Amino acid sequence: MHVISRRPLREFATRHPDAEASVRAWFHEARQAHWRTTADIKHQYGSASILKGSRVVFNLCGNKYRLIGSINYRSEVVFVRFIGTHVEYDRVDAETI
């Protein structure tokens, strides 16, 4: 998968150093992945939440943080729509952000 964009991931890891390894691991795993369906994601990330509109919520750092990705399976692209704490996540609409 091609991950767009890496910048919010780097900025988040700078603000939350405890998340750096987890964010970096997710990025590298996503780049190596060839997700064709939501089942492929659930196979790799059992705790991921599948939402409408090709959105997926990934739990990072032992579920301390959340990442929302919008996935275009045909083009193999993951758009990072959000990364943040649970409090920040609760303030957004995961299906439209």
Side-chain angles (χ1 to χ4, degrees):
M1 303 298 285
H2 182 69
V3 178
I4 301 174
S5 145
R6 192 172 188 179
R7 183 178 179 187
L9 301 177
R10 285 194 306 261
E11 290 173 354
F12 183 79
T14 299
R15 288 191 319 272
H16 301 276
D18 63 319
E20 183 177 0
S22 196
V23 169
R24 188 181 307 236
W26 179 87
F27 175 80
H28 290 293
E29 291 167 5
R31 293 268 330 253
Q32 297 297 317
H34 296 283
W35 299 320
R36 298 286 184 202
T37 67
T38 57
D40 294 338
I41 294 171
K42 289 297 279 184
H43 178 74
Q44 186 171 358
Y45 292 99
S47 65
S49 299
I50 309 300
L51 306 177
K52 297 178 198 173
S54 299
R55 308 266 175 163
V56 178
V57 179
F58 297 93
N59 298 312
L60 301 178
C61 205
N63 201 22
K64 187 174 181 181
Y65 304 111
R66 294 210 168 155
L67 183 150
I68 301 171
S70 176
I71 302 176
N72 183 317
Y73 296 97
R74 178 176 279 170
S75 299
E76 292 196 13
V77 175
V78 178
F79 296 92
V80 176
R81 306 301 295 170
F82 169 87
I83 184 168
T85 66
H86 274 271
V87 171
E88 294 165 335
Y89 174 82
D90 290 341
R91 291 187 205 140
V92 301
D93 180 352
E95 293 180 354
T96 62
I97 191 168

Coordinates of all heavy atoms in Angstrom, one line a residue:
M1 N 0.8 -1.2 0.0 CA 0.0 0.0 0.0 C 0.9 1.2 0.0 O 2.0 1.2 0.6 CB -0.9 0.0 1.2 CG -1.8 -1.2 1.4 SD -3.0 -1.5 0.2 CE -4.2 -0.3 0.5
H2 N 0.4 2.3 -0.6 CA 1.1 3.6 -0.6 C 0.4 4.4 0.5 O -0.8 4.5 0.4 CB 1.0 4.2 -2.0 CG 1.6 5.5 -2.1 ND1 3.0 5.6 -2.0 CD2 1.2 6.8 -2.2 CE1 3.3 6.9 -2.1 NE2 2.2 7.6 -2.2
V3 N 1.1 4.9 1.4 CA 0.6 5.6 2.6 C 0.7 7.1 2.3 O 1.8 7.6 2.1 CB 1.3 5.3 3.9 CG1 0.7 6.1 5.0 CG2 1.2 3.8 4.2
I4 N -0.4 7.8 2.3 CA -0.4 9.3 2.1 C -1.1 9.9 3.3 O -2.2 9.5 3.7 CB -1.2 9.6 0.8 CG1 -0.6 9.0 -0.4 CG2 -1.3 11.1 0.7 CD1 -1.4 9.2 -1.6
S5 N -0.5 10.6 4.0 CA 0.8 11.2 4.0 C 1.5 10.8 5.3 O 0.9 10.7 6.3 CB 0.6 12.7 3.9 OG 1.6 13.5 4.5
R6 N 2.8 10.8 5.2 CA 3.7 10.4 6.3 C 3.8 11.6 7.3 O 4.1 11.4 8.5 CB 5.0 9.9 5.8 CG 5.8 9.3 6.9 CD 7.0 8.7 6.3 NE 7.7 7.9 7.2 CZ 8.8 7.2 7.0 NH1 9.3 7.2 5.8 NH2 9.4 6.5 7.9
R7 N 3.6 12.8 6.9 CA 3.9 14.0 7.7 C 3.0 13.9 9.0 O 3.6 14.2 10.1 CB 3.6 15.2 6.9 CG 3.8 16.5 7.7 CD 3.6 17.7 6.8 NE 3.8 18.9 7.6 CZ 3.6 20.1 7.1 NH1 3.1 20.2 5.9 NH2 3.8 21.1 7.9
P8 N 1.7 13.7 8.9 CA 1.0 13.7 10.2 C 1.5 12.6 11.2 O 1.4 12.8 12.4 CB -0.5 13.5 9.8 CG -0.5 13.0 8.4 CD 0.8 13.5 7.8
L9 N 2.0 11.5 10.6 CA 2.5 10.4 11.5 C 3.8 10.9 12.2 O 3.9 10.7 13.4 CB 2.8 9.2 10.6 CG 1.7 8.6 9.9 CD1 2.1 7.4 9.0 CD2 0.5 8.2 10.8
R10 N 4.7 11.6 11.5 CA 5.9 12.1 12.1 C 5.6 13.2 13.1 O 6.2 13.2 14.2 CB 6.8 12.7 11.0 CG 7.5 11.6 10.2 CD 8.7 12.3 9.4 NE 8.2 13.4 8.6 CZ 8.0 13.3 7.3 NH1 8.1 12.2 6.6 NH2 7.6 14.4 6.6
E11 N 4.6 14.1 12.8 CA 4.3 15.1 13.7 C 3.7 14.6 15.0 O 3.9 15.0 16.1 CB 3.3 16.1 13.0 CG 4.0 17.0 12.0 CD 3.1 17.8 11.2 OE1 1.8 17.7 11.4 OE2 3.6 18.6 10.4
F12 N 2.8 13.6 14.8 CA 2.2 12.9 16.0 C 3.2 12.3 16.9 O 3.2 12.4 18.1 CB 1.1 11.9 15.5 CG 0.4 11.3 16.7 CD1 -0.6 12.0 17.3 CD2 0.8 10.0 17.2 CE1 -1.3 11.4 18.4 CE2 0.1 9.5 18.2 CZ -0.9 10.2 18.9
A13 N 4.2 11.5 16.2 CA 5.2 10.8 17.0 C 6.1 11.8 17.7 O 6.6 11.5 18.8 CB 6.0 10.0 16.1
T14 N 6.3 13.0 17.2 CA 7.1 14.1 17.8 C 6.3 14.5 19.1 O 6.9 14.7 20.1 CB 7.3 15.2 16.9 OG1 8.1 14.7 15.8 CG2 8.1 16.3 17.6
R15 N 5.0 14.7 19.0 CA 4.2 15.2 20.1 C 4.0 14.1 21.2 O 3.8 14.4 22.4 CB 2.9 15.7 19.7 CG 2.9 17.0 18.9 CD 1.5 17.6 18.7 NE 0.5 16.6 18.3 CZ 0.2 16.3 17.1 NH1 0.8 16.8 16.1 NH2 -0.8 15.4 16.8
H16 N 4.0 12.8 20.7 CA 3.8 11.7 21.6 C 4.9 10.7 21.4 O 4.7 9.7 20.7 CB 2.5 11.0 21.3 CG 1.3 12.0 21.5 ND1 0.7 12.2 22.7 CD2 0.6 12.8 20.6 CE1 -0.3 13.1 22.6 NE2 -0.3 13.4 21.3
P17 N 6.1 10.9 22.0 CA 7.3 10.1 21.8 C 7.0 8.6 22.2 O 7.6 7.7 21.6 CB 8.3 10.6 22.7 CG 7.9 12.0 23.0 CD 6.4 12.1 22.9
D18 N 6.1 8.3 23.1 CA 5.8 6.9 23.4 C 5.1 6.2 22.3 O 5.1 5.0 22.3 CB 4.9 6.9 24.7 CG 3.6 7.5 24.5 OD1 3.5 8.6 23.9 OD2 2.6 6.9 25.0
A19 N 4.6 6.9 21.3 CA 3.9 6.3 20.2 C 4.8 6.1 19.0 O 4.4 5.4 18.0 CB 2.7 7.1 19.8
E20 N 6.0 6.6 19.0 CA 6.9 6.6 17.9 C 7.1 5.2 17.3 O 6.9 5.0 16.1 CB 8.2 7.2 18.2 CG 9.1 7.3 16.9 CD 10.4 8.0 17.2 OE1 10.7 8.4 18.3 OE2 11.2 8.1 16.2
A21 N 7.5 4.2 18.1 CA 7.7 2.9 17.6 C 6.5 2.2 17.1 O 6.5 1.6 16.0 CB 8.3 2.0 18.8
S22 N 5.3 2.5 17.7 CA 4.1 1.9 17.2 C 3.7 2.5 15.9 O 3.2 1.8 15.0 CB 3.0 2.1 18.3 OG 1.9 1.3 18.0
V23 N 3.8 3.8 15.8 CA 3.5 4.5 14.5 C 4.4 4.1 13.4 O 3.9 3.8 12.3 CB 3.5 6.1 14.7 CG1 3.4 6.8 13.4 CG2 2.5 6.5 15.7
R24 N 5.7 4.0 13.7 CA 6.6 3.6 12.7 C 6.3 2.1 12.2 O 6.4 1.8 11.1 CB 8.0 3.6 13.3 CG 9.1 3.4 12.3 CD 10.5 3.5 13.0 NE 10.6 4.8 13.7 CZ 11.5 5.7 13.5 NH1 12.5 5.4 12.7 NH2 11.5 6.8 14.2
A25 N 6.0 1.3 13.2 CA 5.7 -0.1 12.8 C 4.4 -0.2 12.0 O 4.4 -0.9 11.0 CB 5.5 -1.0 14.1
W26 N 3.4 0.6 12.3 CA 2.2 0.6 11.5 C 2.5 1.0 10.1 O 2.1 0.4 9.1 CB 1.1 1.5 12.1 CG -0.1 1.5 11.2 CD1 -1.2 0.6 11.2 CD2 -0.4 2.4 10.1 NE1 -2.0 0.9 10.2 CE2 -1.6 2.0 9.5 CE3 0.3 3.5 9.6 CZ2 -2.1 2.7 8.4 CZ3 -0.2 4.1 8.5 CH2 -1.4 3.7 7.9
F27 N 3.3 2.1 9.9 CA 3.6 2.7 8.6 C 4.4 1.6 7.8 O 4.0 1.4 6.6 CB 4.5 3.9 8.8 CG 5.0 4.4 7.5 CD1 4.2 5.2 6.7 CD2 6.3 4.2 7.0 CE1 4.6 5.7 5.5 CE2 6.8 4.6 5.8 CZ 5.9 5.4 5.0
H28 N 5.3 1.0 8.4 CA 6.1 0.0 7.6 C 5.2 -1.3 7.2 O 5.3 -1.8 6.1 CB 7.4 -0.4 8.3 CG 8.4 0.7 8.3 ND1 9.0 1.1 7.2 CD2 8.8 1.5 9.3 CE1 9.8 2.1 7.5 NE2 9.7 2.4 8.8
E29 N 4.4 -1.7 8.2 CA 3.5 -2.8 7.9 C 2.5 -2.4 6.8 O 2.2 -3.3 5.9 CB 2.8 -3.2 9.2 CG 3.7 -3.9 10.2 CD 3.1 -4.1 11.5 OE1 1.9 -3.7 11.7 OE2 3.8 -4.5 12.5
A30 N 2.0 -1.2 6.9 CA 1.0 -0.8 5.8 C 1.7 -0.7 4.5 O 1.1 -1.1 3.5 CB 0.4 0.5 6.2
R31 N 2.9 -0.2 4.4 CA 3.6 -0.1 3.2 C 3.9 -1.4 2.5 O 3.9 -1.6 1.3 CB 5.0 0.6 3.4 CG 4.9 2.0 3.8 CD 4.9 3.1 2.7 NE 5.6 2.7 1.5 CZ 6.8 3.3 1.1 NH1 7.4 4.1 1.8 NH2 7.3 2.9 -0.1
Q32 N 4.1 -2.5 3.3 CA 4.3 -3.8 2.8 C 3.0 -4.6 2.5 O 3.1 -5.6 1.8 CB 5.1 -4.6 3.9 CG 6.5 -4.1 4.1 CD 7.4 -4.1 2.9 OE1 7.4 -5.1 2.2 NE2 8.1 -3.0 2.7
A33 N 1.9 -4.1 3.0 CA 0.6 -4.8 2.8 C 0.1 -4.7 1.4 O 0.4 -3.7 0.7 CB -0.4 -4.3 3.8
H34 N -0.7 -5.6 1.0 CA -1.5 -5.6 -0.2 C -3.0 -5.9 0.1 O -3.5 -7.0 -0.3 CB -0.9 -6.7 -1.2 CG 0.4 -6.3 -1.6 ND1 0.7 -5.4 -2.6 CD2 1.6 -6.8 -1.2 CE1 2.0 -5.3 -2.7 NE2 2.6 -6.2 -1.9
W35 N -3.6 -5.0 0.9 CA -5.0 -5.2 1.3 C -5.9 -5.1 0.1 O -5.9 -4.1 -0.6 CB -5.3 -4.2 2.4 CG -4.5 -4.3 3.6 CD1 -4.1 -5.5 4.2 CD2 -4.1 -3.2 4.4 NE1 -3.4 -5.1 5.4 CE2 -3.4 -3.8 5.5 CE3 -4.2 -1.9 4.3 CZ2 -2.8 -3.0 6.5 CZ3 -3.6 -1.1 5.3 CH2 -2.9 -1.6 6.4
R36 N -6.7 -6.1 -0.1 CA -7.7 -6.1 -1.2 C -9.1 -6.0 -0.7 O -10.0 -5.6 -1.4 CB -7.5 -7.4 -2.1 CG -6.2 -7.6 -2.7 CD -6.1 -6.6 -3.9 NE -4.9 -6.9 -4.6 CZ -4.3 -6.0 -5.4 NH1 -4.9 -4.8 -5.6 NH2 -3.2 -6.3 -6.0
T37 N -9.3 -6.4 0.6 CA -10.6 -6.4 1.2 C -10.4 -6.1 2.7 O -9.3 -6.1 3.2 CB -11.3 -7.7 1.1 OG1 -10.6 -8.7 1.9 CG2 -11.4 -8.2 -0.3
T38 N -11.5 -5.8 3.3 CA -11.5 -5.5 4.8 C -11.0 -6.8 5.5 O -10.4 -6.7 6.6 CB -12.9 -5.0 5.3 OG1 -13.8 -6.0 4.9 CG2 -13.2 -3.7 4.7
A39 N -11.3 -7.9 5.0 CA -10.9 -9.2 5.6 C -9.4 -9.3 5.7 O -8.9 -9.8 6.6 CB -11.5 -10.4 4.8
D40 N -8.7 -8.8 4.7 CA -7.3 -8.8 4.7 C -6.7 -7.9 5.9 O -5.8 -8.3 6.5 CB -6.7 -8.2 3.4 CG -7.0 -9.1 2.2 OD1 -7.2 -10.3 2.4 OD2 -7.0 -8.5 1.0
I41 N -7.4 -6.8 6.1 CA -7.0 -5.9 7.2 C -7.3 -6.6 8.5 O -6.4 -6.6 9.4 CB -7.7 -4.6 7.1 CG1 -7.2 -3.8 5.9 CG2 -7.4 -3.7 8.4 CD1 -8.0 -2.6 5.6
K42 N -8.5 -7.2 8.7 CA -8.8 -7.9 9.9 C -7.9 -9.1 10.2 O -7.6 -9.4 11.3 CB -10.3 -8.3 9.9 CG -11.3 -7.2 10.0 CD -11.2 -6.4 11.3 CE -11.9 -7.2 12.4 NZ -11.9 -6.4 13.7
H43 N -7.4 -9.7 9.1 CA -6.5 -10.8 9.3 C -5.2 -10.3 9.9 O -4.6 -11.0 10.8 CB -6.2 -11.5 8.0 CG -5.3 -12.6 8.1 ND1 -5.6 -13.8 8.6 CD2 -4.0 -12.7 7.7 CE1 -4.6 -14.6 8.6 NE2 -3.6 -14.0 8.0
Q44 N -4.7 -9.1 9.5 CA -3.5 -8.6 10.0 C -3.7 -7.8 11.3 O -2.8 -7.8 12.2 CB -2.9 -7.7 8.9 CG -1.5 -7.2 9.3 CD -0.8 -6.4 8.1 OE1 -1.3 -6.4 7.0 NE2 0.4 -5.9 8.4
Y45 N -4.8 -7.1 11.4 CA -5.1 -6.3 12.6 C -6.4 -6.6 13.1 O -7.5 -6.0 12.7 CB -5.1 -4.8 12.2 CG -3.7 -4.2 11.8 CD1 -3.4 -4.1 10.5 CD2 -2.8 -3.9 12.8 CE1 -2.1 -3.6 10.1 CE2 -1.6 -3.4 12.4 CZ -1.2 -3.3 11.1 OH 0.0 -2.8 10.7
G46 N -6.5 -7.6 13.9 CA -7.8 -8.1 14.5 C -8.6 -7.1 15.2 O -9.8 -7.2 15.3
S47 N -7.9 -6.1 15.8 CA -8.6 -5.1 16.6 C -9.0 -3.9 15.7 O -9.7 -3.0 16.3 CB -7.7 -4.6 17.7 OG -6.6 -3.9 17.3
A48 N -8.7 -3.9 14.5 CA -9.1 -2.8 13.6 C -10.6 -2.7 13.5 O -11.3 -3.8 13.5 CB -8.5 -2.9 12.2
S49 N -11.2 -1.5 13.4 CA -12.6 -1.3 13.2 C -12.9 -0.9 11.8 O -12.3 0.1 11.3 CB -13.1 -0.3 14.2 OG -12.9 -0.7 15.5
I50 N -13.8 -1.6 11.1 CA -14.1 -1.3 9.8 C -15.3 -0.4 9.8 O -16.4 -0.8 10.4 CB -14.4 -2.6 9.0 CG1 -13.2 -3.6 9.1 CG2 -14.7 -2.3 7.5 CD1 -11.9 -3.2 8.6
L51 N -15.2 0.7 9.1 CA -16.3 1.7 9.1 C -16.8 1.9 7.6 O -16.2 1.3 6.7 CB -15.8 3.1 9.6 CG -15.2 3.1 11.0 CD1 -14.7 4.5 11.3 CD2 -16.2 2.6 12.0
K52 N -17.9 2.6 7.5 CA -18.4 3.0 6.2 C -17.4 3.8 5.4 O -16.5 4.4 6.0 CB -19.7 3.8 6.3 CG -20.8 3.1 6.9 CD -22.0 4.0 7.0 CE -23.1 3.6 8.0 NZ -24.1 4.6 8.2
G53 N -17.6 3.9 4.1 CA -16.8 4.8 3.3 C -15.3 4.3 3.2 O -14.4 5.2 3.1
S54 N -15.1 3.0 3.3 CA -13.7 2.5 3.2 C -12.8 3.0 4.3 O -11.6 3.2 4.1 CB -13.1 2.8 1.8 OG -13.9 2.2 0.8
R55 N -13.3 3.4 5.4 CA -12.5 3.9 6.6 C -12.2 2.7 7.5 O -13.0 1.8 7.7 CB -13.3 4.9 7.3 CG -13.8 6.0 6.5 CD -12.9 7.2 6.5 NE -13.4 8.2 5.5 CZ -13.0 9.4 5.5 NH1 -12.1 9.8 6.3 NH2 -13.5 10.2 4.6
V56 N -11.0 2.8 8.1 CA -10.6 1.8 9.0 C -9.9 2.5 10.2 O -9.2 3.4 10.0 CB -9.6 0.8 8.4 CG1 -9.1 -0.2 9.4 CG2 -10.2 0.1 7.2
V57 N -10.3 2.1 11.4 CA -9.7 2.6 12.6 C -8.7 1.6 13.1 O -9.1 0.5 13.4 CB -10.7 3.0 13.7 CG1 -10.0 3.5 15.0 CG2 -11.8 3.9 13.2
F58 N -7.4 2.0 13.2 CA -6.4 1.2 13.8 C -6.0 1.6 15.2 O -5.9 2.8 15.4 CB -5.1 1.3 12.9 CG -5.3 0.8 11.5 CD1 -5.6 1.7 10.5 CD2 -5.1 -0.5 11.1 CE1 -5.8 1.3 9.2 CE2 -5.2 -1.0 9.8 CZ -5.6 -0.1 8.8
N59 N -5.9 0.7 16.1 CA -5.5 1.0 17.4 C -3.9 0.9 17.5 O -3.3 -0.1 17.1 CB -6.1 0.0 18.4 CG -7.6 0.1 18.4 OD1 -8.1 1.2 18.5 ND2 -8.2 -1.1 18.3
L60 N -3.3 1.9 18.0 CA -1.9 2.0 18.2 C -1.4 2.1 19.6 O -2.2 2.6 20.5 CB -1.3 3.2 17.4 CG -1.7 3.4 15.9 CD1 -1.1 4.7 15.4 CD2 -1.1 2.2 15.2
C61 N -0.3 1.6 19.9 CA 0.4 1.7 21.2 C -0.5 1.1 22.3 O -0.8 1.7 23.3 CB 0.7 3.2 21.5 SG 2.0 3.4 22.6
G62 N -1.0 -0.1 22.0 CA -1.8 -0.8 23.0 C -3.2 -0.2 23.2 O -3.7 -0.1 24.3
N63 N -3.7 0.4 22.1 CA -5.0 1.0 22.0 C -5.0 2.4 22.8 O -6.1 2.9 23.1 CB -6.1 0.1 22.6 CG -7.5 0.5 22.1 OD1 -7.6 1.2 21.1 ND2 -8.5 0.1 22.9
K64 N -3.8 2.9 23.0 CA -3.8 4.3 23.6 C -4.1 5.4 22.6 O -4.6 6.4 22.9 CB -2.4 4.5 24.2 CG -2.2 5.7 25.0 CD -0.8 5.7 25.6 CE -0.6 7.0 26.5 NZ 0.7 7.0 27.1
Y65 N -3.7 5.1 21.3 CA -4.0 6.1 20.3 C -4.7 5.4 19.1 O -4.8 4.2 19.0 CB -2.6 6.6 19.7 CG -1.7 7.2 20.8 CD1 -0.6 6.6 21.2 CD2 -2.1 8.4 21.4 CE1 0.2 7.1 22.2 CE2 -1.3 8.9 22.4 CZ -0.2 8.3 22.8 OH 0.6 8.8 23.8
R66 N -5.3 6.3 18.3 CA -6.1 5.7 17.1 C -5.7 6.4 15.8 O -5.3 7.6 15.8 CB -7.6 6.0 17.3 CG -8.1 5.1 18.5 CD -9.5 4.8 18.3 NE -9.8 3.8 19.3 CZ -11.0 3.6 19.7 NH1 -12.0 4.3 19.3 NH2 -11.3 2.6 20.6
L67 N -5.7 5.6 14.8 CA -5.4 6.1 13.4 C -6.6 5.8 12.5 O -7.0 4.6 12.5 CB -4.1 5.5 12.9 CG -3.6 6.0 11.6 CD1 -2.1 5.9 11.5 CD2 -4.2 5.2 10.4
I68 N -7.1 6.8 11.8 CA -8.1 6.5 10.8 C -7.5 6.6 9.4 O -6.9 7.6 9.1 CB -9.3 7.5 11.0 CG1 -9.9 7.5 12.4 CG2 -10.3 7.2 9.9 CD1 -10.9 8.6 12.6
G69 N -7.7 5.5 8.7 CA -7.2 5.5 7.3 C -8.4 5.4 6.4 O -9.4 4.6 6.7
S70 N -8.4 6.1 5.3 CA -9.3 5.9 4.2 C -8.6 5.1 3.1 O -7.5 5.5 2.6 CB -9.8 7.2 3.6 OG -10.6 7.1 2.5
I71 N -9.1 3.9 2.7 CA -8.4 3.0 1.9 C -9.1 2.9 0.5 O -10.3 2.6 0.4 CB -8.3 1.6 2.6 CG1 -7.6 1.8 3.9 CG2 -7.6 0.7 1.7 CD1 -7.5 0.6 4.8
N72 N -8.2 3.0 -0.5 CA -8.6 2.7 -1.8 C -8.0 1.4 -2.2 O -6.8 1.4 -2.5 CB -8.2 3.8 -2.8 CG -8.7 3.6 -4.2 OD1 -8.6 2.5 -4.7 ND2 -9.1 4.6 -4.9
Y73 N -8.8 0.3 -2.1 CA -8.2 -1.0 -2.3 C -7.7 -1.2 -3.7 O -6.7 -1.8 -3.9 CB -9.3 -2.0 -2.0 CG -9.7 -2.0 -0.5 CD1 -10.8 -1.3 -0.1 CD2 -8.9 -2.6 0.5 CE1 -11.2 -1.3 1.2 CE2 -9.3 -2.6 1.8 CZ -10.4 -1.9 2.2 OH -10.8 -1.8 3.5
R74 N -8.4 -0.7 -4.7 CA -8.0 -0.9 -6.1 C -6.7 -0.2 -6.4 O -5.8 -0.8 -7.0 CB -9.1 -0.3 -7.0 CG -8.7 -0.5 -8.5 CD -9.8 0.0 -9.4 NE -10.7 -1.0 -9.5 CZ -11.9 -0.9 -10.1 NH1 -12.3 0.2 -10.6 NH2 -12.7 -1.9 -10.1
S75 N -6.5 1.0 -5.9 CA -5.2 1.7 -6.1 C -4.1 1.4 -5.1 O -3.0 1.8 -5.2 CB -5.5 3.2 -6.1 OG -6.4 3.6 -7.1
E76 N -4.5 0.6 -4.1 CA -3.6 0.3 -3.0 C -3.0 1.5 -2.3 O -1.8 1.7 -2.2 CB -2.5 -0.6 -3.5 CG -3.0 -2.0 -3.8 CD -1.9 -3.1 -3.9 OE1 -0.7 -2.8 -3.5 OE2 -2.2 -4.2 -4.4
V77 N -3.9 2.4 -1.9 CA -3.6 3.7 -1.2 C -4.3 3.8 0.1 O -5.5 3.5 0.2 CB -3.9 4.9 -2.1 CG1 -3.6 6.2 -1.4 CG2 -3.1 4.8 -3.4
V78 N -3.5 4.1 1.1 CA -4.1 4.5 2.4 C -3.9 6.0 2.7 O -2.8 6.4 2.7 CB -3.4 3.7 3.6 CG1 -4.0 4.1 4.9 CG2 -3.5 2.2 3.3
F79 N -5.0 6.7 2.8 CA -4.9 8.1 3.2 C -5.1 8.2 4.7 O -6.1 7.8 5.2 CB -6.1 8.9 2.5 CG -6.0 8.9 1.0 CD1 -6.7 7.9 0.3 CD2 -5.3 9.8 0.3 CE1 -6.6 7.9 -1.1 CE2 -5.2 9.8 -1.1 CZ -5.9 8.8 -1.8
V80 N -4.0 8.7 5.3 CA -4.1 9.0 6.8 C -5.0 10.2 7.0 O -4.7 11.3 6.6 CB -2.7 9.2 7.4 CG1 -2.9 9.6 8.9 CG2 -1.8 8.0 7.2
R81 N -6.2 9.9 7.5 CA -7.2 11.0 7.8 C -7.1 11.6 9.2 O -7.5 12.7 9.4 CB -8.6 10.4 7.5 CG -8.8 9.7 6.2 CD -8.6 10.6 5.0 NE -9.5 11.7 5.0 CZ -9.5 12.7 4.3 NH1 -8.5 12.9 3.4 NH2 -10.5 13.6 4.3
F82 N -6.6 10.8 10.1 CA -6.5 11.2 11.5 C -5.6 10.3 12.3 O -5.5 9.1 12.0 CB -7.9 11.1 12.1 CG -7.9 11.3 13.6 CD1 -8.0 12.6 14.2 CD2 -7.9 10.2 14.5 CE1 -8.0 12.7 15.6 CE2 -7.9 10.4 15.8 CZ -7.9 11.6 16.4
I83 N -4.9 10.9 13.2 CA -4.1 10.1 14.2 C -4.2 11.0 15.5 O -3.9 12.2 15.5 CB -2.7 9.8 13.8 CG1 -2.0 8.9 14.8 CG2 -1.9 11.0 13.4 CD1 -0.7 8.3 14.4
G84 N -4.5 10.3 16.6 CA -4.6 11.1 17.8 C -5.0 10.2 19.0 O -5.0 9.0 18.9
T85 N -5.2 10.9 20.1 CA -5.5 10.2 21.4 C -7.0 9.8 21.3 O -7.7 10.2 20.4 CB -5.3 11.1 22.6 OG1 -6.2 12.2 22.5 CG2 -3.9 11.6 22.6
H86 N -7.4 9.0 22.3 CA -8.9 8.7 22.4 C -9.7 9.9 22.6 O -10.8 10.0 22.0 CB -9.1 7.7 23.5 CG -8.9 6.3 23.1 ND1 -9.9 5.5 22.6 CD2 -7.8 5.5 23.1 CE1 -9.4 4.3 22.3 NE2 -8.1 4.3 22.6
V87 N -9.3 10.9 23.4 CA -10.1 12.1 23.6 C -10.2 12.8 22.3 O -11.3 13.3 21.9 CB -9.4 13.0 24.6 CG1 -10.1 14.3 24.7 CG2 -9.4 12.3 26.0
E88 N -9.1 13.0 21.5 CA -9.2 13.6 20.2 C -10.1 12.9 19.2 O -10.9 13.4 18.5 CB -7.8 13.8 19.6 CG -6.9 14.8 20.4 CD -5.5 14.7 20.1 OE1 -5.0 13.6 19.6 OE2 -4.8 15.7 20.3
Y89 N -10.0 11.5 19.3 CA -10.8 10.7 18.4 C -12.3 10.8 18.7 O -13.1 10.9 17.8 CB -10.4 9.2 18.6 CG -11.2 8.2 17.9 CD1 -11.0 7.9 16.5 CD2 -12.3 7.6 18.5 CE1 -11.8 7.0 15.8 CE2 -13.1 6.6 17.9 CZ -12.8 6.4 16.5 OH -13.6 5.5 15.9
D90 N -12.6 11.0 20.0 CA -14.0 11.2 20.3 C -14.6 12.4 19.8 O -15.8 12.6 19.7 CB -14.2 11.1 21.9 CG -13.9 9.7 22.4 OD1 -14.0 8.7 21.6 OD2 -13.7 9.6 23.6
R91 N -13.8 13.4 19.4 CA -14.3 14.7 19.0 C -14.5 14.7 17.4 O -14.9 15.7 16.9 CB -13.3 15.8 19.3 CG -13.2 16.1 20.8 CD -12.3 17.3 21.0 NE -11.8 17.2 22.4 CZ -10.5 17.5 22.7 NH1 -9.7 18.0 21.8 NH2 -10.1 17.4 23.9
V92 N -14.1 13.7 16.7 CA -14.2 13.7 15.3 C -15.3 12.7 14.8 O -15.6 11.7 15.6 CB -12.9 13.4 14.6 CG1 -11.8 14.4 15.0 CG2 -12.4 12.0 14.9
D93 N -15.7 12.8 13.6 CA -16.6 11.8 13.0 C -15.8 11.0 12.1 O -15.3 11.4 11.1 CB -17.7 12.5 12.2 CG -18.7 11.5 11.6 OD1 -18.4 10.3 11.6 OD2 -19.7 12.0 11.0
A94 N -15.5 9.8 12.6 CA -14.5 8.9 11.9 C -14.9 8.6 10.5 O -14.1 8.3 9.6 CB -14.3 7.6 12.7
E95 N -16.2 8.7 10.2 CA -16.7 8.3 8.9 C -16.6 9.5 7.9 O -16.8 9.3 6.7 CB -18.2 7.8 9.0 CG -18.2 6.5 9.7 CD -19.6 5.9 9.8 OE1 -20.6 6.6 9.4 OE2 -19.7 4.8 10.3
T96 N -16.4 10.7 8.4 CA -16.3 11.8 7.4 C -15.0 12.6 7.5 O -14.8 13.4 6.6 CB -17.5 12.8 7.7 OG1 -17.4 13.3 9.0 CG2 -18.8 12.1 7.5
I97 N -14.2 12.4 8.5 CA -13.0 13.2 8.6 C -12.0 12.9 7.4 O -12.0 11.9 6.9 CB -12.3 12.9 9.9 CG1 -11.2 13.9 10.1 CG2 -11.7 11.5 10.0 CD1 -10.6 14.0 11.5

